Amino acid sequence: MTKNRSRRLRKKLFSGEFTVYGFAVTCRMTEHSETDYDQFIDEFIDLVESQNLIVGGGSSQEQFDCFVVSNNRYESPTEKERLVIERWLLSNPIFAEVNVGELVDVNNDI
């Protein structure tokens, strides 16, 4: 059933043309030093900010998990930005396995 909603309501509900997308990142880490990890975090934050994105997440000794969204309201990361992040993570020797998810609706698919 199609819902006929006003533009104002679609905006409040982040639906239709106001849908916001993001993507999940899960990485399994190799053996690494604290210095290697600190360097990775600094470089990763620089990369994410250079793409005008925001990241939130956490890590343990074995795994790094985060979710990436746009820094701008009502905007989403592009497929190109997702691929930039994925390629950079795959090239980093601190990870044994990298999984970058597809773009998903932040408000309804998580």
Side-chain angles (χ1 to χ4, degrees):
M1 174 167 52
T2 304
K3 295 180 181 175
N4 195 9
R5 295 182 172 151
S6 69
R7 176 179 164 80
R8 181 173 176 229
L9 186 54
R10 288 191 312 272
K11 188 172 183 179
K12 282 185 169 196
L13 295 174
F14 292 91
S15 65
E17 68 270 33
F18 300 103
T19 302
V20 176
Y21 295 92
F23 59 92
V25 174
T26 302
C27 305
R28 192 170 50 83
M29 294 187 201
T30 61
E31 295 278 329
H32 60 278
S33 68
E34 191 172 320
T35 304
D36 291 339
Y37 181 74
D38 289 343
Q39 181 180 352
F40 155 72
I41 290 295
D42 289 341
E43 292 173 1
F44 185 63
I45 290 170
D46 289 343
L47 173 67
V48 167
E49 288 178 348
S50 75
Q51 301 294 313
N52 199 30
L53 301 172
I54 299 174
V55 64
S59 70
S60 65
Q61 287 286 28
E62 300 85 29
Q63 191 159 319
F64 173 77
D65 297 309
C66 67
F67 196 82
V68 183
V69 295
S70 176
N71 192 29
N72 297 325
R73 190 171 185 179
Y74 301 114
E75 289 188 19
S76 302
T78 64
E79 183 63 21
K80 180 181 175 186
E81 292 165 336
R82 192 189 74 75
L83 290 172
V84 166
I85 301 283
E86 182 176 36
R87 286 185 194 122
W88 187 85
L89 290 169
L90 287 168
S91 71
N92 196 310
I94 198 171
F95 298 117
E97 183 181 329
V98 173
N99 182 16
V100 177
E102 296 299 318
L103 292 169
V104 295
D105 182 341
V106 172
N107 295 290
N108 296 308
D109 289 346
I110 298 178

